Amino acid sequence: MTASIRRLAKRIAIAGGLETANLLRATGAMRGARGLGAILTLHHIRPHEEAAFEPNAHLEITPEFLDLVLDRLKSDGYRFVALEEIPALLSQNGSDQPFAAFTLDDGYRNNLVYALPIFEKHNAPFTVFVTKGLAERTHTIWWETLAVLLRKEEKIGFDFGSGHEMLDVTTTDAKERVFARIASHLHRHDERAAAAAIDLMARQHEIDPDEIVDDLVMTPAELNLLEASPLASLGAHTVSHRAMSRLSDREVHDEMTASRDYVRAITGERPGSFAYPYGTREAVTRRQAEIAREVGFAIAVTTQPGVVTQRLLGSITYLPRLSINGLYQNVRYVSGLASGIPFRFTPNRP
C-alpha cells in the first residue's frame, strides 16, 4: 500500500468519525460531552492554490470556509468570546450556552487580509499568536521552506546524522516521505541546527528562506494595524518557534519572556496569553505550563485536542484546542469535533 493510499484511508476514517459525531450531536444524546466550550486553532486563512504537493495543507483554510464555520457554530448555539475571558468563565458555575474562542498561530499576513474582515462580519473576538523571530525576520519557517524546496526539485541532499544522503524526490509520494523524514529528524535532534540545514539546502537550490518569511508573516506595523481592531488581541508564541519540551528551563523562560515583552512593545499592554509552538504532547509538558504561570500568563494553549471543561481551571496554562484542519473543510465535521463526542470514544486523540 502506497503512502498516499494510507493517507487517504486515514482521512476517510477520520471524516467518518466526525460525521458520526455530528449525527450524535444532532440527537442531543451526548450533550454533556461538549463541556463549557472550545478553543479553535487556525493558521493560514487564504484562497487555495492547487498543487500536487501540499504537505502543509492541514494548516490552511479558505476565507469562505472560515465564514461558514462561524455561521455554523453560531447556529449550533455557541457564543464567541475572547481567549482571555476563559479563566473567568471557568471560575463561574457555567452556562447552558457553550463558548467558542478563536486563535491563529504564527502571525501570517493573511490573518489581517482575509481573516479580520470575516471575524468583524460575525463580531467574533480572536487572538493572533506572534512569533518574535518571524515578525523581526531573524528566524525562518522551516516547514514552508522545505515545502517550496521539495515542490521545485527532483533530487536533494541531506545529512540525517550519518553522512550526506542524496534523496530522490521525483514523485509526490517520494516528496511526502522525505518531508516526513526530515520533519521527524528535526523534532528528534537539535531543532535549531536542523532548521539551519534546511535553510542552507534551500539556498543551494536558489530558494531564499528569508523571502518566504517576508511573503507570509506580518511586520510589527501590520501587527499594530491588526491589533487596532477591537476584536483582535495579540498573544505570545516564543522567539524561535522551537518545541519547549526540548529546551532547558532557562531557555523556556527566556523565550516566553522575550516574546511577551515583544508583544507588549507593539501593543502597549502586556499580553495575557501564550501558545506553545507545535503544542503536542511531545512538544510541551506540564513543566513548561508551570513556567508559563511563573512568567505571568493568565492562559496558555497547546494543540492537544479536546474541549474545555471546568476541571481544566487548574490547568489554565495547559489548555487543549481543536484544530480547524484544512484537510477536512466541511462544517458538519466542525460541529462533530466541537461537540466533544470524538473524545469520549478516543480520549486524548485528534
Side-chain angles (χ1 to χ4, degrees):
M1 184 184 293
T2 66
S4 58
I5 292 175
R6 286 195 297 271
R7 283 191 300 274
L8 178 59
K10 180 180 178 181
R11 286 176 61 177
I12 290 172
I14 291 173
L18 293 172
E19 286 278 17
T20 301
N22 182 50
L23 289 171
L24 289 170
R25 176 201 63 83
T27 69
M30 300 185 68
R31 188 176 179 185
R34 72 184 181 187
L36 298 178
I39 305 169
L40 292 309
T41 311
L42 301 156
H43 289 82
H44 291 288
I45 313 295
R46 61 189 178 188
H48 182 59
E49 295 183 7
E50 195 72 35
F53 176 60
E54 298 180 283
N56 299 314
H58 61 294
L59 297 178
E60 67 173 84
I61 64 170
T62 65
E64 295 78 12
F65 185 63
L66 177 60
D67 192 21
L68 291 174
V69 166
L70 287 157
D71 264 335
R72 181 63 176 236
L73 289 173
K74 200 179 299 180
S75 69
D76 285 347
Y78 285 81
R79 58 188 172 123
F80 302 146
V81 304
L83 182 68
E84 291 187 21
E85 292 180 56
I86 291 178
L89 292 173
L90 295 189
S91 298
Q92 298 166 5
N93 290 328
S95 166
D96 287 339
Q97 185 179 22
F99 64 76
F102 296 91
T103 62
L104 302 98
D105 290 7
D106 303 332
Y108 295 114
R109 182 171 290 112
N110 51 59
N111 297 174
L112 172 65
V113 176
Y114 293 107
L116 174 61
I118 295 169
F119 286 123
E120 289 182 331
K121 172 185 174 182
H122 293 273
N123 196 33
F126 64 100
T127 298
V128 172
F129 289 111
V130 178
T131 304
K132 178 183 178 181
L134 302 183
E136 289 293 311
R137 308 316 196 238
T138 58
H139 291 69
T140 55
I141 313 172
W142 68 263
W143 57 95
E144 298 282 0
T145 301
L146 186 56
V148 172
L149 173 63
L150 291 174
R151 198 174 289 126
K152 176 186 177 185
E153 300 298 338
E154 295 188 348
K155 191 176 288 290
I156 63 169
F158 195 79
D159 186 351
F160 292 95
S162 55
H164 192 76
E165 290 184 43
M166 290 305 297
L167 305 165
D168 187 306
V169 289
T170 305
T171 67
T172 300
D173 261 5
K175 293 178 192 294
E176 289 173 348
R177 284 195 301 271
V178 168
F179 186 97
R181 186 180 174 194
I182 292 176
S184 176
H185 173 79
L186 178 141
H187 289 304
R188 294 171 184 272
H189 297 85
D190 183 334
E191 187 172 340
R192 192 194 299 273
I198 293 169
D199 284 353
L200 176 61
M201 180 170 53
R203 291 189 174 97
Q204 290 169 342
H205 290 269
E206 300 182 339
I207 294 168
D208 188 344
D210 297 320
E211 286 186 2
I212 293 172
V213 178
D214 267 341
D215 287 344
L216 293 178
V217 179
M218 282 183 277
T219 63
E222 288 170 312
L223 288 166
N224 200 255
L225 180 62
L226 176 76
E227 197 266 338
S229 167
L231 294 171
S233 299
L234 300 185
H237 199 37
T238 75
V239 176
S240 64
H241 201 286
R242 287 181 291 167
M244 298 280 91
S245 63
R246 303 188 67 240
L247 304 181
S248 69
D249 285 0
R250 171 48 57 187
E251 288 176 307
V252 170
H253 185 279
D254 290 349
E255 288 264 350
M256 289 183 178
T257 301
S259 61
R260 179 201 67 194
D261 292 347
Y262 183 68
V263 172
R264 177 166 53 188
I266 292 172
T267 67
E269 295 182 5
R270 178 170 167 162
S273 62
F274 179 81
Y276 303 99
Y278 310 114
T280 63
R281 290 186 181 278
E282 294 76 24
V284 55
T285 70
R286 297 281 179 173
R287 175 58 190 146
Q288 288 84 57
E290 292 173 7
I291 297 173
R293 281 182 182 272
E294 294 166 7
V295 169
F297 292 112
I299 187 170
V301 292
T302 70
T303 58
Q304 296 161 33
V307 294
V308 179
T309 62
Q310 204 153 27
R311 66 180 177 80
L312 291 176
L313 182 60
S315 301
I316 202 67
T317 53
Y318 198 74
L319 292 180
R321 287 190 287 176
L322 300 178
S323 173
I324 304 299
N325 191 310
L327 300 178
Y328 305 94
Q329 294 188 58
N330 184 315
V331 289
R332 296 194 306 276
Y333 302 163
V334 174
S335 288
L337 191 65
S339 73
I341 292 170
F343 313 112
R344 287 293 180 94
F345 296 108
T346 54
N348 302 320
R349 299 284 295 180

